[in-house]
Amino acid sequence: MSAQATGAENVRWDLHELFSGIADPKIETVLADAKVKAERFVERYRGKLAELSPEGLAEAYETLEAISGPLYHVGQYVNLLYAVDTADDQIKATLANIQQSSSAISNLLVFFTLELGNLSDDQFSVFDGAPALGDFAYKIEKMRKNSHYNLSEKEEQIINLKDLNGASAHQKLYGELTSTFSFDFELDGKVQTLNGDQLRALRQHPDKDVRQRAMKMFFAKYEENSLVINHLYNSLVKDHGIEVELRGFNNPISTMNTHNDLSDEAIQALNDVTTESYALVNGYYKLKSKMLGLKEMTLADIYAPLPDASKFYPYDEAKKLVLEGFQGFDDDFYAMAKSMFDENRIDAPVEPKKRGGAFCSSSTPDLKPYVLLNYTGKVRDVSTMAHELGHAIHAMLSSDQKLMNYHSILPLAETASIFSEMVLTDSLLKQETDVEVKKSMLTGKLEDIFASSHRQNMFSSFEIASHAAINKQLQSPQDLCELYTTELKKMFGDSVTFTPEYAWEWSSIPHIFNVPFYVYAYNFGNLLVFALYQQYLEEGAAFKPKYKKFLSMGSSASPAEITALVGADINHPDFWRKSLKYIETLVDQLEALID
């Protein structure tokens, strides 16, 4: 697709601090060394954990981190290469080799957690509160609390091995299949070959016919491949359900909640409160329909630009705006974000074989993150830049943590990224003098909120319903389409017309295939940040040290403890209801501009 040059065409990341290339012999050396070290670890510690002093157990954890760190680097490097060239066979083969080696090493080390979890209370008492284990205290406590979900060592090893040709293989096939989708689309009198992200971007095209044709073509491709995609989803959900039953979890979502150290009740409250607020979505889209002058708004129109409000942002201008936004908030945030540009840690152009979307990749505390973008010059791309750099700042702030505490749990992992978007939005709104552009910014921000809160909540509700259905009996594509349409209608109500192709949207959502129940993390993060940002507006500079402490914690304490640092009570429904009020203020600002 010919597109306006953005200045991002040559913005490529430099990965040489990791490895020199896909054929770098150090990759094989790392895998071989990790296996040898894992075998030595087994020989040294297997069957002997009950005999260790607290200092000895701390040393064992340090050794585990020394084994894991280089493996993180290898996995990160090859996955980053794959992200910019999903069709390269050598990269795919190396990824498969890494997965196989990592699985073998995991199988060697699986005894450690199981043996530690199975110690008697008397045996374990020597470790309780020991100063030497301070860095690992939360992880040990969490492991001990959840040890009853563990299977035997042999069973855990079998699961690791069968996943290579089971769940992991199904997820890989889904990714490879959908990344090959291309679309011959007529635009401006010419037929152009687009990838999925380029076609989906046409939801923001000013022409209603273009938007609707694009989305019909996009979902038609998934419907054409429904035999494979439906089989993959049923198999992945069934596989997840079998593990839920074997391990004794209460519900399919309980696996993710336990991983995140969040109660089923807290996440159900989050889901319920968000669902209660679907009226905000309904009301907003009725308002937008009037702003667009549409007699009928379909789901293909919900991201349509406002008339006379489009604005193009070259890459360098986006960089300047994002850095200015960070600088207006905090000097440390600015310096960390600037280093990502200065050190070539960002890959920005849109390319046919490149993975769509955007992400921030962090591996170990001693290595700065990398950011992938697909920059097209829209205001949403500027916001995405701020979002992913927020992730990078979060990673850098938590770099004093041990490796096992470095990566935040999923719901808290979105905190800095969403906060950074809000900092940028405020900065842009203050600078902008054109009322029409301001309207566009507010509609864009509200739509981003609905996409990352209410929409993700809808995905989560679909997952809950589809897992329950598939665990009773396998579902046909039409069954799943009906479940999904039910959730769509709950969210949008009578504000839009539901065209048939959108029933297939579920099949295009990678997260529900790759990480079951991941998606509620976005909603959790959004609503949490709305409350924190309001607190920042009220407290000013006094808020910043608490917030940086919050971000520096990584996953070294429970979510309830970490959020308590900034005064958030994540277990109370009223907290989530209070957070939703921020959305109402944005709608009020938009209505004021319209009047």
Side-chain angles (χ1 to χ4, degrees):
M1 177 180 182
S2 64
Q4 185 174 356
T6 65
E9 290 76 16
N10 296 312
V11 179
R12 311 312 301 254
W13 52 31
D14 182 354
L15 305 180
H16 284 94
E17 71 175 332
L18 286 164
F19 297 93
S20 62
I22 191 63
D24 190 334
K26 291 181 182 177
I27 293 175
E28 286 297 334
T29 300
V30 167
L31 297 177
D33 284 352
K35 186 171 185 294
V36 170
K37 290 175 181 176
E39 289 169 345
R40 290 174 182 164
F41 186 89
V42 173
E43 184 179 350
R44 181 176 179 184
Y45 290 108
R46 185 186 177 97
K48 303 171 186 175
L49 298 187
E51 304 166 11
L52 293 179
S53 65
E55 291 75 15
L57 183 58
E59 184 180 350
Y61 273 114
E62 296 282 4
T63 305
L64 280 176
E65 293 208 341
I67 295 170
S68 300
L71 288 175
Y72 271 80
H73 292 165
V74 167
Q76 180 185 36
Y77 178 70
V78 181
N79 274 290
L80 291 177
L81 292 182
Y82 179 69
V84 296
D85 190 353
T86 59
D88 187 287
D89 288 335
Q90 186 178 6
I91 294 173
K92 288 191 278 190
T94 306
L95 264 181
N97 183 35
I98 291 169
Q99 289 172 343
Q100 187 170 352
S101 296
S102 297
S103 179
I105 290 165
S106 294
N107 268 354
L108 286 170
L109 301 176
V110 72
F111 81 90
F112 183 79
T113 300
L114 297 175
E115 186 175 324
L116 197 57
N118 288 332
L119 294 180
S120 69
D121 290 342
D122 285 344
Q123 290 173 318
F124 195 80
S125 63
V126 68
F127 303 128
D128 280 336
L133 291 167
D135 287 335
F136 309 104
Y138 170 62
K139 285 296 187 291
I140 293 172
E141 176 191 345
K142 183 180 174 184
M143 174 276 302
R144 187 74 173 170
K145 180 174 69 174
N146 296 326
S147 61
H148 61 285
Y149 294 124
N150 295 335
L151 304 177
S152 70
E153 182 178 354
K154 181 56 67 176
E155 288 170 322
E156 296 287 358
Q157 290 175 335
I158 290 170
I159 286 174
N160 281 339
L161 288 173
K162 65 91 179 168
D163 276 352
L164 288 173
N165 293 306
S168 296
H170 284 78
Q171 290 159 352
K172 184 180 179 185
L173 176 58
Y174 175 82
E176 291 184 356
L177 172 67
T178 55
S179 69
T180 66
F181 289 173
S182 63
F183 307 85
D184 294 328
F185 188 80
E186 184 180 343
L187 186 64
D188 300 327
K190 297 179 182 178
V191 176
Q192 304 176 33
T193 300
L194 311 181
N195 63 27
D197 285 295
Q198 291 170 321
L199 191 65
R200 280 169 60 85
L202 293 176
R203 292 176 299 173
Q204 298 169 40
H205 195 279
D207 189 321
K208 182 181 181 74
D209 176 66
V210 170
R211 296 193 297 266
Q212 295 186 356
R213 285 192 297 111
M215 296 319 296
K216 283 180 181 178
M217 179 177 286
F218 180 78
F219 291 124
K221 182 72 72 172
Y222 285 83
E223 183 178 2
E224 288 167 15
N225 288 272
S226 62
L227 177 66
V228 175
I229 293 175
N230 184 69
H231 173 81
L232 293 175
Y233 188 66
N234 272 276
S235 296
L236 286 164
V237 170
K238 199 68 179 173
D239 181 88
H240 184 266
I242 289 169
E243 280 208 35
V244 166
E245 186 174 347
L246 285 173
R247 296 183 185 280
F249 288 101
N250 293 331
N251 303 294
I253 198 172
S254 301
T255 57
M256 183 58 75
N257 294 345
T258 300
H259 174 74
N260 290 334
D261 204 7
L262 295 164
S263 70
D264 289 356
E265 291 75 19
I267 298 308
Q268 188 62 50
L270 171 68
N271 182 283
D272 291 344
V273 168
T274 311
T275 303
E276 287 171 12
S277 71
Y278 281 170
L280 281 169
V281 181
N282 188 301
Y284 168 75
Y285 281 110
K286 286 180 178 178
L287 178 63
K288 185 173 183 183
S289 182
K290 291 179 183 178
M291 294 168 69
L292 291 171
L294 294 176
K295 292 181 180 179
E296 179 185 60
M297 173 177 270
T298 72
L299 284 166
D301 302 318
I302 61 176
Y303 300 116
L306 298 181
D308 305 318
S310 61
K311 186 171 181 178
F312 179 77
Y313 295 86
Y315 182 82
D316 283 344
E317 183 180 351
K319 172 183 172 181
K320 177 175 178 288
L321 289 169
V322 168
L323 289 177
E324 284 177 352
F326 282 130
Q327 193 165 34
F329 172 67
D330 181 78
D331 287 342
D332 290 337
F333 272 56
Y334 167 78
M336 286 184 278
K338 186 174 183 296
S339 72
M340 294 292 292
F341 294 102
D342 294 345
E343 297 173 21
N344 298 322
R345 309 187 83 84
I346 299 172
D347 197 278
V350 177
E351 293 188 333
K353 296 178 183 178
K354 186 175 176 180
R355 171 180 161 174
F359 64 76
C360 176
S361 169
S362 54
S363 58
T364 58
D366 59 328
L367 186 69
K368 284 186 180 178
Y370 295 91
V371 162
L372 179 136
L373 304 172
N374 279 273
Y375 191 82
T376 65
K378 299 184 185 299
V379 68
R380 277 193 174 90
D381 295 320
V382 186
S383 193
T384 297
M385 181 187 289
H387 180 102
E388 299 306 337
L389 288 171
H391 278 304
I393 290 166
H394 196 168
M396 285 185 259
L397 282 171
S398 60
S399 62
D400 287 337
Q401 296 289 346
K402 293 289 187 181
L403 176 56
M404 67 171 55
N405 296 330
Y406 173 56
H407 297 278
S408 295
I409 65 160
L410 292 176
L412 299 188
E414 293 300 323
T415 310
S417 54
I418 299 166
F419 194 98
S420 297
E421 284 190 63
M422 296 171 77
V423 166
L424 173 70
T425 298
D426 269 6
S427 177
L428 291 179
L429 285 170
K430 287 173 184 175
Q431 293 181 45
E432 188 57 60
T433 57
D434 188 317
V435 172
E436 294 305 318
V437 174
K438 278 192 172 184
K439 287 180 186 177
S440 180
M441 286 181 180
L442 282 166
T443 57
K445 179 48 59 182
L446 281 162
E447 287 158 22
D448 285 345
I449 288 170
F450 293 141
S452 51
S453 282
H454 295 76
R455 177 177 161 86
Q456 303 302 323
N457 189 70
M458 179 188 69
F459 291 165
S460 183
S461 295
F462 168 75
E463 281 194 276
I464 291 168
S466 62
H467 276 247
I470 290 171
N471 283 319
K472 289 180 181 176
Q473 64 179 39
L474 298 182
Q475 299 290 293
S476 70
Q478 290 69 31
D479 292 332
L480 293 171
C481 285
E482 287 177 15
L483 286 176
Y484 189 76
T485 301
T486 297
E487 298 302 329
L488 275 176
K489 290 180 176 178
K490 284 182 188 176
M491 177 173 164
F492 288 95
D494 61 354
S495 65
V496 299
T497 297
F498 299 94
T499 50
E501 65 272 11
Y502 266 86
W504 293 95
E505 187 174 35
W506 65 270
S507 62
S508 69
I509 303 164
H511 281 324
I512 70 172
F513 288 80
N514 295 331
V515 190
F517 302 103
Y518 175 98
V519 291
Y520 78 67
Y522 291 108
N523 187 29
F524 188 109
N526 265 279
L527 299 191
L528 173 63
V529 173
F530 297 158
L532 297 185
Y533 197 74
Q534 187 61 41
Q535 190 175 335
Y536 159 60
L537 294 177
E538 293 168 0
E539 297 181 7
F543 174 80
K544 297 177 189 178
K546 293 186 293 185
Y547 182 55
K548 287 194 235 182
K549 175 66 175 175
F550 169 101
L551 295 177
S552 73
M553 294 288 285
S555 58
S556 61
S558 72
E561 290 176 287
I562 293 174
T563 52
L565 291 171
V566 286
D569 182 1
I570 61 174
N571 293 311
H572 202 293
D574 285 347
F575 169 75
W576 301 113
R577 290 191 180 100
K578 180 180 177 182
S579 300
L580 290 166
K581 292 180 181 178
Y582 175 79
I583 304 173
E584 296 174 1
T585 65
L586 292 179
V587 175
D588 290 344
Q589 287 181 56
L590 180 60
E591 288 181 328
L593 291 175
I594 295 170
D595 296 338

